[in-house]
Amino acid sequence: MPNDNSGRRRFLGRVLATSGSLLLAGCDRLSQTEWFPNVLSSAEKLTQAAQKLIVPRNAMAQEFSPADISPEFRSNGTSNPSNPVYQALAANGFKDYQLRISGLVEHPAVYSLAELKALPSRSQITRHDCVEGWSAIGKWQGVQLSQLLQRAQPLASARYAVFYCFDPMDAQGTTYYYESIDLDEAYHPQTLLAYALNDAPLPVKNGAPIRLRVERQLGYKMAKYVMEIKLVDSFSDIAGGKGGYWEDRGYEWFAGI
Ligand SMILES: Nc1nc2c(c(=O)[nH]1)N[C@H]1C(S)=C(S)[C@@H](COP(=O)(O)O)O[C@H]1N2
Ligand SMILES: [Mo]
């Protein structure tokens, strides 16, 4: 039964009725074996609701040791945005890059790369899972998104953070990559705006100068080449209205692993 989620549903039904450690062991197994069908399922709301009940809001994604780091962290999707604005920024070592924080916040702001790097940073070694069927372990360093949100002060009406990227997804330059996460995910301690991979400046192929890390979700959520973060109460008016470039093309918005 490809794409059928009933096994997972039954499983979640069972675990919801039982207790802590057993649950987490089960979830780990689930994420190893059933994450791919889950991505293709239509039970997104049940899955997210169930996940929020089972797993504490701040549950951490697994972190690994330096010995686990993959020799090569491959690139997927865009590997070098054709956008001339991006090309000019890259040619100058991103000295003129500015990250904009906008939308439903008390204090809209703009940060240079140097300003982002001057903020307290976090490093984490995590596994990235792409729906195309590959995984890689890498060490990410960046500023926690929560730090920027604490400074910006989201208004009470803000529900999602939308990440706008530099890379056009069509030849005409009318569609750009974008993604969104809810505020629980945005404030999670492992949610980073990363500027370094494996102790080196983030390469262009992996999203320079800034890419999102959302470690409890799948690879397509982790927007590369981020140019603006906008706080919104809904994404129904943005592009295809589903909260992300791939979501507009049928992927689940909540891509929990
Ligand atoms: N801006 C942008 N972000 C993106 C993509 C993209 O094409 N453009 N691809 C996504 C997908 S499907 C994956 S698996 C990861 C790949 O990250 P990597 O290139 O560092 O491996 O980035 C995600 N973020
Ligand atoms: Mo992916």
Side-chain angles (χ1 to χ4, degrees), residues 230-248:
K230 187 173 184 183
L231 280 277
V232 301
D233 57 3
S234 154
F235 32 70
S236 59
D237 294 338
I238 301 168
K242 301 282 174 45
Y245 175 79
W246 284 114
E247 287 84 336
D248 288 339

Side-chain angles (χ1 to χ4, degrees), residues 217-232:
Q217 296 201 46
L218 291 165
Y220 63 86
K221 298 299 289 186
M222 311 211 198
K224 306 193 283 188
Y225 318 113
V226 175
M227 62 178 188
E228 179 168 354
I229 303 173
K230 187 173 184 183
L231 280 277
V232 301

Side-chain angles (χ1 to χ4, degrees), residues 56-134:
R57 213 202 250 216
N58 266 0
M60 301 290 271
Q62 185 178 0
E63 295 193 13
F64 295 81
S65 75
D68 300 318
I69 293 173
S70 305
E72 155 76 5
F73 201 104
R74 58 169 280 187
S75 175
N76 206 54
T78 305
S79 58
N80 188 1
S82 58
N83 182 343
V85 175
Y86 180 86
Q87 288 297 322
L89 291 170
N92 194 23
F94 298 106
K95 287 189 187 63
D96 301 319
Y97 167 80
Q98 293 196 312
L99 174 70
R100 187 169 299 278
I101 315 281
S102 65
L104 300 174
V105 293
E106 202 75 57
H107 306 296
V110 158
Y111 293 88
S112 69
L113 189 54
E115 286 168 335
L116 291 171
K117 288 183 175 176
L119 292 170
S121 78
R122 187 179 203 280
S123 293
Q124 57 203 28
I125 301 173
T126 53
R127 193 189 65 218
H128 176 113
D129 295 320
C130 172
V131 293
E132 290 176 29
W134 59 274

Side-chain angles (χ1 to χ4, degrees), residues 24-249:
L24 289 173
C27 281
D28 207 29
R29 208 171 346 103
L30 187 76
S31 71
Q32 299 297 317
T33 57
E34 293 188 18
W35 61 268
F36 189 69
N38 175 37
V39 171
L40 302 175
S41 84
S42 60
E44 167 203 324
K45 291 208 171 62
L46 171 69
T47 305
Q48 183 176 19
Q51 202 136 338
K52 281 194 171 174
L53 278 173
I54 301 168
V55 182
R57 213 202 250 216
N58 266 0
M60 301 290 271
Q62 185 178 0
E63 295 193 13
F64 295 81
S65 75
D68 300 318
I69 293 173
S70 305
E72 155 76 5
F73 201 104
R74 58 169 280 187
S75 175
N76 206 54
T78 305
S79 58
N80 188 1
S82 58
N83 182 343
V85 175
Y86 180 86
Q87 288 297 322
L89 291 170
N92 194 23
F94 298 106
K95 287 189 187 63
D96 301 319
Y97 167 80
Q98 293 196 312
L99 174 70
R100 187 169 299 278
I101 315 281
S102 65
L104 300 174
V105 293
E106 202 75 57
H107 306 296
V110 158
Y111 293 88
S112 69
L113 189 54
E115 286 168 335
L116 291 171
K117 288 183 175 176
L119 292 170
S121 78
R122 187 179 203 280
S123 293
Q124 57 203 28
I125 301 173
T126 53
R127 193 189 65 218
H128 176 113
D129 295 320
C130 172
V131 293
E132 290 176 29
W134 59 274
S135 298
I137 293 177
K139 177 180 177 182
W140 302 97
Q141 184 191 358
V143 57
Q144 290 169 314
L145 181 55
S146 62
Q147 299 256 355
L148 300 189
L149 294 179
Q150 274 149 21
R151 287 171 170 77
Q153 293 192 31
L155 303 179
S157 53
R159 294 186 60 200
Y160 305 102
V162 180
F163 302 82
Y164 291 97
C165 306
F166 277 107
D167 47 330
M169 301 301 285
D170 59 10
Q172 299 74 37
T174 50
T175 305
Y176 285 77
Y177 202 94
Y178 78 104
E179 257 303 338
S180 61
I181 56 176
D182 67 19
L183 288 194
D184 277 357
E185 205 74 74
Y187 279 103
H188 186 274
Q190 289 170 316
T191 298
L192 305 186
L193 298 177
Y195 45 72
L197 170 59
N198 297 337
D199 295 315
L202 184 61
V204 165
K205 71 179 175 57
N206 300 110
I210 290 292
R211 74 97 48 87
L212 176 66
R213 295 302 306 169
V214 192
E215 304 293 0
R216 302 181 302 178
Q217 296 201 46
L218 291 165
Y220 63 86
K221 298 299 289 186
M222 311 211 198
K224 306 193 283 188
Y225 318 113
V226 175
M227 62 178 188
E228 179 168 354
I229 303 173
K230 187 173 184 183
L231 280 277
V232 301
D233 57 3
S234 154
F235 32 70
S236 59
D237 294 338
I238 301 168
K242 301 282 174 45
Y245 175 79
W246 284 114
E247 287 84 336
D248 288 339
R249 286 152 187 82

